Amino acid sequence: MEMDIAWLAEPAWLIPVTGVLGLLVGSFLNVVILRLPRRLEHEWQQQAREILGQQPEQETAPAPPDLVFKASHCMHCKHPLSAFDNIPLLSYLALGGKCRYCRTAISWQYPLVEAISAAACATLAWQFGWGWPLLAGLVMTWMLIAAAGIDARTQLLPDQLTLSLMWIGLLLSLVPVFIGAPAAIIGAAIGWLSLWSVFWLFKLATGKEGMGYGDFKLLAALGAWMGASALLPIILLSSLVGAIIGSAILAARGNDRSTPIPFGPFIAVAGWTWFVFGADLARLYERLFFA
């Protein structure tokens, strides 16, 4: 007997259900943001020891917890969290933003990531409706949130996220879901080369590195999803958002303009915004400047 899920395609159900799904996945994204960099660093250290002919770490320095099977615990007192402590967003509010066991303040990252994921997923459902574009867009959204969160914390954009996102975009172009394969391949190539060129021009002019290679890969991934025509708006939007938010962050911290800040989160925000609202923003631009 087949299950009838036609009701799910109705906006009255699809938008809130997708929002709740985003809330649940957002809780897991917090785990990815916190644990993936630590696991990667551990793997790099082990690989470096092998290359140098050194003995691997002993049991005194075990591998960091995995992303799926290790239960969550308080980052301060290490007490395992119960199911009631792990309800996305609601547990944070019910506990008053403090650990149930040691009463240490819980990082604002947890509810923020969950809320962003829920809002972004509900917006996708509202914009695309039921279908493959929505399902693909959810995957893209979650990977961008994870990448942006990791970059904001560590100034690292893992290949496991950026390159995977690029390959998914290229594979989707074979269907195609958003753009065809030629546009996706050209978009990925131009996305990489554009920031690569800026990187080397800046380095030759100043002797400093203005951004990391992860930024190239992230923009290449967005090019694979949306094509080359989306890259200039994404770069302009990310630069504008980065200038405003970056200046505010530096001012709040009392840092000067030479302090490095990660650019990946701004690329992710701009890329997602253009992915969802690009056509609307383009029409608005035309009305404002070419009417």
Side-chain angles (χ1 to χ4, degrees):
M1 179 177 174
E2 294 185 1
M3 182 180 297
D4 183 11
I5 60 171
W7 58 271
L8 187 58
E10 297 295 328
W13 288 101
L14 181 62
I15 294 174
V17 167
T18 308
V20 172
L21 175 63
L23 197 63
L24 297 173
V25 175
S27 180
F28 174 70
L29 294 179
N30 273 312
V31 175
V32 175
I33 291 170
L34 291 172
R35 295 184 183 180
L36 181 58
R38 293 164 56 195
R39 291 194 63 83
L40 291 176
E41 182 179 2
H42 179 78
E43 291 175 5
W44 296 334
Q45 290 173 348
Q46 297 293 81
Q47 292 169 5
R49 289 186 178 89
E50 291 179 6
I51 294 173
L52 296 173
Q54 300 176 355
Q55 293 295 324
E57 285 191 38
Q58 303 302 315
E59 294 299 325
T60 54
D66 60 71
L67 303 183
V68 178
F69 299 106
K70 179 67 175 179
S72 298
H73 60 271
C74 173
M75 299 294 290
H76 181 73
C77 68
K78 310 302 181 184
H79 194 288
L81 301 182
S82 68
F84 293 105
D85 299 325
N86 269 325
I87 302 174
L89 202 55
L90 295 180
S91 291
Y92 182 87
L93 297 175
L95 293 171
K98 295 183 179 180
C99 172
R100 182 191 302 274
Y101 309 99
C102 67
R103 306 307 298 167
T104 300
I106 301 172
S107 171
W108 55 264
Q109 173 195 308
Y110 295 97
L112 180 62
V113 169
E114 291 164 357
I116 289 175
S117 178
C121 292
T123 302
L124 286 174
W126 167 69
Q127 187 76 349
F128 292 119
W130 179 257
W132 287 111
L134 171 60
L135 298 178
L138 291 174
V139 173
M140 177 197 205
T141 298
W142 294 328
M143 295 183 76
L144 286 177
I145 292 174
I150 291 174
D151 197 23
R153 287 179 59 89
T154 66
Q155 297 192 24
L156 169 72
L157 281 171
D159 288 349
Q160 287 80 350
L161 294 173
T162 55
L163 294 185
S164 296
L165 188 62
M166 183 184 71
W167 282 111
I168 292 172
L170 292 174
L171 290 174
L172 289 174
S173 71
L174 299 176
V175 179
V177 176
F178 300 109
I179 58 175
I185 295 171
I186 294 172
I190 294 178
W192 170 277
L193 290 172
S194 58
L195 288 188
W196 178 87
S197 301
V198 172
F199 169 88
W200 281 106
L201 287 173
F202 183 84
K203 187 171 184 178
L204 291 173
T206 66
K208 302 177 181 179
E209 296 184 356
M211 63 182 68
Y213 276 71
D215 297 327
F216 314 165
K217 300 169 188 176
L218 181 57
L219 192 62
L222 295 173
W225 280 71
M226 290 176 273
S229 62
L231 296 177
L232 180 58
I234 289 173
I235 292 175
L236 293 176
L237 279 174
S238 60
S239 299
L240 176 62
V241 174
I244 296 173
I245 298 180
S247 298
I249 292 174
L250 292 177
R253 294 177 177 175
N255 301 129
D256 57 40
R257 296 174 65 89
S258 63
T259 303
I261 58 174
F263 192 51
F266 306 127
I267 297 176
V269 170
W272 186 88
T273 301
W274 195 259
F275 174 72
V276 180
F277 300 109
D280 298 327
L281 293 174
R283 285 192 294 268
L284 177 62
Y285 177 81
E286 291 177 359
R287 285 199 301 267
L288 290 176
F289 296 100
F290 298 100

